[in-house]
Amino acid sequence: MPSEQTKTAPGNITEKKSTHQQGSPAQLNGFNLAHDVTNPSSQPQFESRPPSPAPPPDPLILPREQWGGKYEFLLSCIGYCVGLGNVWRFPYLCYRNGGGVFLIPYFIMLFFTGVPLFLMELSLGQYGAAGPITVWKCCPLLKGIGIGMLCVSMLVCLYYNVIIAWTFYYLGSSFQSPLPWSCDAPANAYLCGNATLNSSSGRALSPSEVFWNERVLGVVNSKGLHDPGPVRWPLALCLLAAWVIIFFCMLKGIRSSGKVVYVTATFPYFVLIVLIIRGATLEGSLQGVAFYLTPDWGRLASAQVWNDAASQVFYSLGIGVGGLLSMASYNKFDNNVIRDCLVITIGNCSTSFFAGFAIFSILGHMAWRKGVPVGEVADTGPGLAFVAYPEALALLPGSVFWSILFFLMLFMLGVDTLFGNMEGITTAVLDEFPQLRANMKQKSLFLGLLCFGFYLMGLLLITDGGIYWFTLIDSFATSFGLIIITLFMCIGISFFYGVNQFCQDIIDMICRCPPWCSKVLLYFKACWIFCTPFLLLIILTYIFIEMYNTPLQYGAYVYPRWGKALGVCMGATCCLQIPIWAIVAISKESGTLKNRFKKSIRPLNSWRGNNLNNSGGGEERVEPERMEAPFTVNLTDRDTVNLTEVDFTAIAWENGTEA
């Protein structure tokens, strides 16, 4: 047997001398070194050389996908942001909060909270090339932010597809002539001929209200949150169809959903343009538009106006639920994220503004036909999409065509937004368990179980009392919990990861950074450090005050205290993930509490290696991996040692070695 000696050199390097063939390479943890070691008396001499190639990828783990083109990403983000809130929420908030004056607080909140957070989430996802959980390798202490995003996204997916189920129901009903919620329908003759009073409001019920409350929701059969009643099976079938469509559209990830958005993201714009043109030709449309935009300058002094502006920015941009971060993670590394951020946010807000003309021009015509003020026919949320606007469409010539067009638009808007939320969930799970990407059968099974689980939980929301549960989840899923998550994301990136480092990361991604990008980054830097956290704290304070003083209700039904407490628990569950996972991260480290904290906010070694193969063309960029002590060097030459060329980046070599 050949003799072997082991000596310990400075730096925890273990020397092993063995009688092997002359010229066999030295090894470090199983990897061959650049040169053999031949002279124990000489000092190590280092020569510069190109970075070594990346290790071969694991054949069991598929690399992350990328968008087929930049337009797929832009359309996916626009479709995700331009959702139902742009159509049924923004126009109502605009007229309720002073008309055109509402645009002032809206754009202030947009440029000081919405756009900076939007850019932060896009940049974080694109640079890290990871989902909302894995991306927090940049700061393990804040992994709970990603878990919290996942919780919010699951709550949103749970109730958002119920809206699509309602849309399916109305879309199917729109193929009847006359429309079942119009006065021309024989079943509604008694409603239009005789005044049927609403017991809660004391005013006459319209056929569209009766259709919505009795035929669709069945809420007249429920006494409240405690009395959900039976499942409404027509809606259950619509909900099942909605989840089946989502499943097949997302089956191949962004390769399938990236193609679907070419239709689902552009079709709503076509419908809005058609509705604006049609509305402009109707009698009374100008009164509706005037009601939408007439300024009331006194409303600027109301805190409610500023809170509504902030909530609309968060609601429409989809910040803090992980969808943006996940979609950006499939970008090429050198994608101009600042340009995309400005295009998407400006496009989203422009859509909200112009959707108001499509909505209020036709509502103005309905008010003119009824001889009542526009304020009496305007509504928000489901009341606008499924009561007021369908009733207005029923008054138009060719009402069946306009109704089909409108509910197709709502379906496209809802599906696009749900794509983003579901992408946030699936990307987070697939990044944590990358082996699922390599096995299409397992991935399909996971997605199928996820959709089926959401379907089963969603059945509660389509019972007779389901609208009470829907309103509860809608009110608290994206309330204070979402604000706390985005606040910690902003503070964590700015002060723990480092705002200067984050800005440098953005510049590194935009390899040909134009001068205006660097100047714009100074503005975003100021927002991330001061303006955005300050405004988020003000919004959060107002939400807690309003939540304490204002009872939650749907129509005339006031929610019991236990119901409101349940909603608070939903929101608290999302944001409590932050301290829970922070404690876990600190407990995994060693040393004093201060040292553990410092270690837990440092990026992991694999953080900067995520995008190595995403630079797209040119020379492959490989970032060297940091090697952690202890490590061993196995020297296989006969009796002498001399390191002449080594390409290590995280090991400090001593100037001498022992023979």
Side-chain angles (χ1 to χ4, degrees):
M1 293 291 291
S3 61
E4 182 176 68
Q5 288 182 323
T6 302
K7 292 187 178 181
T8 303
N12 292 332
I13 302 177
T14 304
E15 249 179 47
K16 294 184 180 179
K17 298 179 182 180
S18 59
T19 58
H20 290 280
Q21 183 179 357
Q22 177 69 26
S24 59
Q27 291 188 340
L28 169 64
N29 288 342
F31 291 97
N32 293 335
L33 297 182
H35 285 276
D36 293 336
V37 180
T38 58
N39 187 0
S41 62
S42 62
Q43 294 182 353
Q45 299 174 358
F46 299 97
E47 299 174 3
S48 61
R49 65 178 182 131
S52 57
D58 189 343
L60 298 179
I61 299 177
L62 289 179
R64 297 182 99 258
E65 301 167 302
Q66 288 188 351
W67 295 104
K70 63 180 180 180
Y71 295 112
E72 288 186 12
F73 170 68
L74 282 175
L75 288 175
S76 295
C77 283
I78 290 174
Y80 169 68
C81 297
V82 179
L84 297 169
N86 299 72
V87 174
W88 75 18
R89 199 166 186 267
F90 179 85
Y92 173 82
L93 291 178
C94 200
Y95 100 78
R96 191 184 78 173
N97 292 304
V101 171
F102 180 70
L103 297 177
I104 296 176
Y106 178 75
F107 280 109
I108 289 176
M109 289 296 179
L110 175 68
F111 286 112
F112 285 102
T113 60
V115 178
L117 290 172
F118 196 92
L119 177 62
M120 177 175 283
E121 199 164 337
L122 286 187
S123 302
L124 191 62
Q126 181 172 309
Y127 189 85
I133 299 178
T134 311
V135 80
W136 291 103
K137 290 178 180 179
C138 68
C139 184
L141 183 76
L142 300 179
K143 184 179 180 180
I145 293 178
I147 307 291
M149 287 180 173
L150 199 63
C151 294
V152 173
S153 191
M154 291 179 70
L155 288 173
V156 171
C157 288
L158 178 62
Y159 78 85
Y160 210 87
N161 217 12
V162 173
I163 303 174
I164 299 178
W166 294 338
T167 304
F168 264 139
Y169 191 88
Y170 270 85
L171 184 60
S173 301
S174 297
F175 286 92
Q176 304 177 39
S177 182
L179 293 173
W181 55 82
S182 68
C183 282
D184 296 332
N188 297 328
Y190 76 99
L191 291 173
C192 299
N194 302 310
T196 303
L197 294 181
N198 186 333
S199 58
S200 61
S201 62
R203 61 179 178 83
L205 285 171
S206 66
S208 60
E209 286 177 303
V210 173
F211 183 83
W212 168 244
N213 290 321
E214 296 183 8
R215 293 272 300 275
V216 181
L217 298 180
V219 68
V220 293
N221 302 319
S222 174
K223 297 179 182 179
L225 202 64
H226 63 284
D227 180 28
V231 172
R232 302 187 66 78
W233 292 109
L235 280 182
L237 293 176
C238 292
L239 183 63
L240 180 62
W243 277 116
V244 169
I245 290 175
I246 295 296
F247 171 77
F248 282 108
C249 287
M250 297 197 64
L251 187 58
K252 294 184 179 180
I254 60 172
R255 285 181 296 168
S256 54
S257 64
K259 301 298 183 290
V260 173
V261 293
Y262 279 105
V263 176
T264 58
T266 56
F267 182 76
Y269 286 96
F270 166 74
V271 177
L272 282 177
I273 292 172
V274 171
L275 290 176
I276 289 174
I277 295 173
R278 182 67 182 102
T281 63
L282 297 174
E283 188 73 29
S285 61
L286 290 179
Q287 285 83 351
V289 173
F291 186 82
Y292 170 46
L293 294 178
T294 300
D296 180 6
W297 296 99
R299 295 289 296 165
L300 284 177
S302 171
Q304 177 67 44
V305 175
W306 293 86
N307 181 68
D308 284 348
S311 64
Q312 176 59 23
V313 167
F314 274 83
Y315 192 90
S316 63
L317 291 180
I319 300 169
V321 296
L324 291 172
L325 200 151
S326 297
M327 288 189 288
S329 71
Y330 298 107
N331 272 336
K332 293 183 178 179
F333 183 74
D334 57 356
N335 178 63
N336 192 330
V337 68
I338 298 180
R339 177 201 61 204
D340 289 352
C341 172
L342 296 177
V343 169
I344 295 167
T345 52
I346 292 174
N348 173 70
C349 299
S350 301
T351 304
S352 297
F353 180 69
F354 286 108
F357 291 95
I359 299 299
F360 276 92
S361 60
I362 294 181
L363 290 182
H365 173 69
M366 182 171 71
W368 175 79
R369 289 280 297 266
K370 288 187 170 185
V372 297
V374 180
E376 291 191 13
V377 298
D379 204 347
T380 185
L384 173 63
F386 299 109
V387 178
Y389 208 72
E391 183 179 354
L393 294 174
L395 300 175
L396 301 180
S399 57
V400 171
F401 169 77
W402 296 110
S403 182
I404 292 173
L405 206 62
F406 175 71
F407 287 110
L408 267 178
M409 180 187 72
L410 287 189
F411 169 72
M412 301 291 186
L413 290 172
V415 163
D416 274 342
T417 302
L418 199 57
F419 279 163
N421 287 309
M422 286 292 291
E423 194 63 61
I425 298 172
T426 55
T427 301
V429 176
L430 293 179
D431 283 349
E432 290 294 303
F433 305 97
Q435 62 272 16
L436 289 176
R437 295 186 190 274
N439 192 319
M440 189 62 187
K441 183 178 180 181
Q442 291 183 1
K443 181 181 176 182
S444 302
L445 180 62
F446 160 70
L447 184 61
L449 290 176
L450 183 66
C451 292
F452 186 65
F454 277 129
Y455 171 71
L456 292 180
M457 290 187 289
L459 291 177
L460 174 64
L461 307 184
I462 53 173
T463 57
D464 287 341
I467 188 64
Y468 298 123
W469 288 94
F470 175 91
T471 305
L472 181 70
I473 298 175
D474 183 32
S475 300
F476 287 97
T478 56
S479 181
F480 66 91
L482 183 63
I483 302 296
I484 291 175
I485 288 172
T486 52
L487 176 62
F488 273 89
M489 179 179 71
C490 187
I491 293 175
I493 294 296
S494 300
F495 298 102
F496 292 169
Y497 181 72
V499 70
N500 291 327
Q501 179 62 57
F502 190 64
C503 291
Q504 184 59 50
D505 292 345
I506 296 175
I507 293 175
D508 290 343
M509 288 190 291
I510 310 173
C511 52
R512 296 180 180 86
C513 184
W516 66 268
C517 282
S518 301
K519 294 178 181 178
V520 168
L521 271 180
L522 294 176
Y523 161 75
F524 285 119
K525 185 176 177 180
C527 289
W528 290 330
I529 293 175
F530 176 72
C531 300
T532 304
F534 178 72
L535 289 174
L536 288 177
L537 282 174
I538 294 177
I539 297 167
L540 188 63
T541 303
Y542 184 85
I543 288 176
F544 281 128
I545 293 174
E546 185 182 40
M547 187 170 59
Y548 180 78
N549 293 327
T550 307
L552 179 64
Q553 60 185 73
Y554 174 78
Y557 174 74
V558 179
Y559 281 72
R561 184 172 296 180
W562 66 267
K564 196 172 180 180
L566 184 61
V568 172
C569 289
M570 291 181 193
T573 300
C574 299
C575 56
L576 281 177
Q577 302 301 320
I578 300 174
I580 291 173
W581 288 94
I583 294 173
V584 171
I586 291 175
S587 64
K588 288 182 177 179
E589 303 295 343
S590 59
T592 64
L593 183 61
K594 183 178 180 180
N595 290 336
R596 289 185 177 194
F597 178 79
K598 288 182 177 180
K599 291 178 182 178
S600 65
I601 64 175
R602 289 191 312 197
L604 298 180
N605 296 342
S606 55
W607 162 240
R608 300 191 184 281
N610 285 335
N611 262 305
L612 301 181
N613 299 320
N614 288 350
S615 54
E619 184 179 346
E620 185 180 7
R621 295 172 47 183
V622 179
E623 186 140 348
E625 184 177 358
R626 188 171 62 193
M627 306 296 294
E628 300 287 353
F631 51 84
T632 60
V633 178
N634 301 324
L635 301 176
T636 58
D637 288 84
R638 294 191 174 177
D639 294 309
T640 56
V641 175
N642 178 29
L643 297 178
T644 58
E645 182 181 330
V646 182
D647 182 29
F648 296 143
T649 58
I651 304 175
W653 291 89
E654 300 292 340
N655 288 333
T657 57
E658 295 184 37

